Amino acid sequence: MKTTVEKMKAFTELSSLPDASIEVFIDDAFLVVKKKKFPEDVEEMANRYLAAHLATMTNKNVVMEAVGTLKRQYSDKNPLAEGLSTTPYGQKYLELERDYVKKRKGINLVVI
C-alpha cells in the first residue's frame, strides 16, 4: 500500500513541499518498494521512509541561500550519488529492508 501526502507532511522538513511534488516521490519510492517485495504490513512504512529520503535529497547540495538578489551556492559533491545512508529516512529504509526483505542468494531447492 502507498503512503499518503498527509503522512509525509508529518516530517517537518517536508511540510512546505507542494503536494504534487510529494506525490511524485511517493510514486517513485513505491515502485522500488514493490519490486523489493516487502511484507504487506511493512510496505507503507518502507514507502514513506524511502519517499522522505528522496524528497530531502533534492536540495542537499545547496550550501548557501540568500534572499536579497536571490543567490544560491551549491556544493561540488553530489549527495544523490552517496546513497541511502546520507539521511535518517534512508537509514530507516535500509533497516526495514534488512529486517523484512529476504535476500535470495544462490539456488533455492525444495526437497520432496
Side-chain angles (χ1 to χ4, degrees):
M1 158 155 93
K2 280 187 187 181
T3 195
T4 64
V5 170
E6 292 77 28
K7 285 186 177 183
M8 294 288 294
K9 288 208 171 195
F11 297 126
T12 324
E13 58 262 69
L14 304 181
S15 62
S16 63
L17 283 179
D19 291 359
S21 296
I22 293 175
E23 283 288 347
V24 170
F25 294 122
I26 290 171
D27 291 344
D28 290 352
F30 190 68
L31 291 174
V32 173
V33 168
K34 274 306 225 188
K35 191 170 189 149
K36 294 283 185 174
K37 300 186 188 292
F38 277 88
E40 200 171 303
D41 60 332
V42 181
E43 192 175 71
E44 184 275 329
M45 187 181 352
N47 180 215
R48 183 176 353 122
Y49 281 104
L50 183 55
H53 168 76
L54 295 173
T56 57
M57 291 303 291
T58 56
N59 284 325
K60 282 287 185 190
N61 63 341
V62 175
V63 292
M64 192 272 298
E65 288 187 304
V67 176
T69 67
L70 296 172
K71 295 178 184 177
R72 184 177 268 194
Q73 182 178 349
Y74 296 92
S75 164
D76 59 349
K77 287 201 300 186
N78 180 5
L80 292 174
E82 292 177 14
L84 289 163
S85 62
T86 59
T87 69
Y89 306 116
Q91 292 168 14
K92 179 64 177 177
Y93 173 80
L94 286 172
E95 179 184 317
L96 291 169
E97 186 178 281
R98 182 189 68 232
D99 292 346
Y100 293 102
V101 176
K102 293 182 178 153
K103 304 289 184 206
R104 293 180 181 93
K105 293 182 181 176
I107 299 172
N108 292 331
L109 300 173
V110 177
V111 179
I112 302 177

